[in-house]
Amino acid sequence: MIKQYNLAEIPVEQILNRDIREEKGVEAIVDDIIANVRKDGDAALLAYGEKFDRAKLTALEVSEAELIEAFDAMDTEFIKTLEIARDNISRFHSRQIQKNFVITEEGGIVLGQKYTPIEKAGLYVPGGTASYPSSVLMNAVPAKLAGVSELVMTTPPNAEGKIAPAILAAAKVAGVSRIFKVGGAQAIAALAYGTETVPKVDKIVGPGNVFVATAKRKVYGLVDIDMIAGPSEILVLADGGCDPKFVAADMLSQAEHDKLATAVLITTSKELAEAVSAELERQIPLLPRKEIARASIDVNGKIIVAESMEQAVAAVNQIAPEHLEVCVAEPFALLDSIKNAGSIFLGRNVPEALGDYLAGPNHTLPTSGTARFSSPLSVDDFVKKSSFIYYPKEALGKVADRIVDFAEREGLHAHAESVAVRFRK
């Protein structure tokens, strides 16, 4: 049974499950995996595939024949759905593409900034209890729009050594360059360091379990990463006019992800709170993943009654949830006052699943309160910015004395000399 509170009686920082401490021994296990992959390369990947996925592989890379077979096995309606989702994601993310700029100033001075795509990006797609072709699209499409020349995907195989056909179909639709049958921390190590078969990349993106997250943290600095994702979160902000069936269903859409996931309702209506609690009890037993949803709701789920919508919005901004549904009569009236949220779903008929699959905005979102300072995955994650400067000698001469003085005040005399030497007779 979900727990109920008044907002005044629960500290805001305790509303969502933000306990992302590693399980005992995870760090040591990941260190060992990374070391073995660095030392033994493909041999280590094949051994880990047999150990963790029970797959006896003879080749790590998905062949073109396997890709075509998976694509042809998909029903045409699902391929069409993938293409619609890809086009929507592309349409939204294409607005994020930045342009180079140049500033010309008096005396021939030229200043500017240019954008260069990351050359190689690695996309991790999790397996396990579910497959996620949507994650393929959400990560691959922005990378392709940014101009990434090589997009390398890794994902764990099943015991027969095969990848879920839906994942391969999504990869083909999205234009992924190469696909490898590797999962877990060993996949992250392979992408970071390279092996005989798996190319070394410049950035790794994509969600995963605690071993994947720990490995990403370990290799950060050698390569870039998108983020360290914690348990999935949804916060529904609702007034008394909502349908409790809709609210409960939306909360369960995240609760079914993981036992550590958190689904929370903050409402100004005690009547809605009671109705949603009853709906959760009715709907949970109907879910195929009911054991996961049950654990998530019982341990981490909360229904909270606020005295006013202003108080509720203030709590939202402190919590900074990953997914925020604004289920009120006039959602746009609250939009400007919402400062911290990964993705905002406005209105009573905008379930979080719309954003997960089809609408266009990215579903790779900041968790664990990091929406206070970070953003959803975007085209910006796959480009680098470089500034450039040009000064003719005469223009440098006009500011030379000031640069020399500045450098000497910092005790950096070689800096000062690098300017002064150009004007010494």
Side-chain angles (χ1 to χ4, degrees):
M1 177 72 73
I2 194 166
K3 301 176 184 71
Q4 295 193 41
Y5 304 88
N6 289 321
L7 184 55
E9 69 187 27
I10 181 171
V12 169
E13 62 272 13
Q14 293 180 16
I15 290 177
L16 295 190
N17 172 33
R18 260 75 190 266
D19 186 0
I20 56 171
R21 292 174 295 179
E22 293 171 356
E23 298 172 15
K24 186 177 180 181
V26 166
E27 189 156 341
I29 293 169
V30 170
D31 283 339
D32 189 53
I33 290 172
I34 291 174
N36 286 337
V37 172
R38 291 186 68 183
K39 179 169 69 74
D40 296 329
D42 286 354
L45 299 181
L46 291 168
Y48 283 126
E50 186 169 356
K51 179 179 180 180
F52 296 130
D53 304 314
R54 298 184 296 282
K56 294 185 178 182
L57 300 173
T58 56
L60 292 168
E61 187 164 7
V62 173
S63 67
E64 183 65 21
E66 288 177 287
L67 193 59
I68 292 171
E69 179 186 5
F71 190 81
D72 290 344
M74 287 286 100
D75 64 89
T76 56
E77 276 305 305
F78 183 62
I79 295 296
K80 185 176 180 180
T81 298
L82 289 174
E83 291 171 344
I84 291 170
R86 177 202 60 197
D87 293 347
N88 288 347
I89 296 165
S90 181
R91 189 177 302 110
F92 179 85
H93 287 76
S94 64
R95 302 294 292 270
Q96 299 172 344
I97 297 173
Q98 303 278 358
K99 293 182 179 179
N100 300 342
F101 66 82
V102 177
I103 302 169
T104 55
E105 297 187 346
E106 187 178 351
I109 295 169
V110 180
L111 308 173
Q113 181 171 276
K114 72 185 189 75
Y115 292 84
T116 307
I118 290 171
E119 185 177 344
K120 294 181 180 180
L123 164 56
Y124 185 84
V125 179
T129 58
S131 65
Y132 299 101
S134 59
S135 288
V136 178
L137 299 179
M138 290 291 180
N139 286 272
V141 172
K144 298 293 286 186
L145 285 170
V148 173
S149 57
E150 188 170 356
L151 184 57
V152 181
M153 190 176 97
T154 63
T155 188
N158 62 20
E160 287 72 45
K162 295 189 176 295
I163 305 299
I167 288 179
L168 294 182
K172 185 171 177 62
V173 166
V176 172
S177 309
R178 301 175 71 185
I179 307 166
F180 294 90
K181 301 173 183 180
V182 187
Q186 60 271 27
I188 303 304
L191 291 169
Y193 292 97
T195 70
E196 300 93 327
T197 303
V198 181
K200 179 185 183 333
V201 301
D202 304 305
K203 182 164 187 168
I204 301 172
V205 300
N209 63 17
V210 66
F211 294 94
V212 170
T214 302
K216 286 171 71 175
R217 179 171 57 81
K218 292 277 186 180
V219 301
Y220 174 66
L222 174 68
V223 295
D224 192 17
I225 62 172
D226 50 353
M227 63 186 76
I228 302 295
S232 187
E233 309 166 352
I234 186 168
L235 195 159
V236 180
L237 178 64
D239 59 20
C242 294
D243 188 323
K245 294 193 296 295
F246 297 174
V247 175
D250 292 356
M251 294 172 71
L252 291 173
S253 72
Q254 291 305 293
E256 74 169 353
H257 261 302
D258 187 334
K259 292 179 180 179
L260 297 177
T262 304
V264 171
L265 166 65
I266 298 182
T267 180
T268 52
S269 168
K270 292 181 180 179
E271 293 75 18
L272 180 68
E274 292 296 332
V276 170
S277 180
E279 269 299 315
L280 288 168
E281 294 307 306
R282 187 187 68 81
Q283 292 185 28
I284 289 173
L286 305 177
L287 296 173
R289 294 165 68 88
K290 56 179 176 282
E291 290 83 5
I292 294 173
R294 176 88 272 167
S296 169
I297 290 296
D298 287 354
V299 176
N300 301 315
K302 296 177 182 68
I303 293 177
I304 299 167
V305 178
E307 293 180 2
S308 67
M309 191 55 68
E310 292 74 18
Q311 184 189 54
V313 170
V316 166
N317 285 327
Q318 286 183 268
I319 295 164
E322 177 189 15
H323 304 99
L324 173 65
E325 289 191 7
V326 184
C327 299
V328 301
E330 299 292 340
F332 285 95
L334 296 180
L335 184 57
D336 284 348
S337 61
I338 296 167
K339 307 299 182 185
N340 301 324
S343 189
I344 305 169
F345 302 81
L346 295 168
R348 293 173 178 160
N349 293 294
V350 189
E352 184 271 334
L354 175 63
D356 265 353
Y357 298 115
L358 214 67
N362 211 283
H363 78 196
T364 302
L365 303 170
T367 64
S368 305
T370 58
R372 292 179 294 107
F373 53 80
S374 61
S375 308
L377 191 76
S378 72
V379 170
D380 287 343
D381 286 288
F382 297 98
V383 297
K384 304 167 295 177
K385 297 184 281 285
S386 300
S387 58
F388 55 87
I389 305 168
Y390 171 76
Y391 268 56
K393 186 172 183 179
E394 294 76 9
L396 178 62
K398 291 180 180 180
V399 294
D401 290 344
R402 294 187 184 280
I403 299 170
V404 168
D405 178 58
F406 212 142
E408 288 179 343
R409 287 174 187 271
E410 290 191 345
L412 298 176
H413 299 287
H415 279 62
E417 180 62 14
S418 72
V419 175
V421 70
R422 286 171 162 78
F423 300 95
R424 190 177 295 118
K425 294 182 180 178

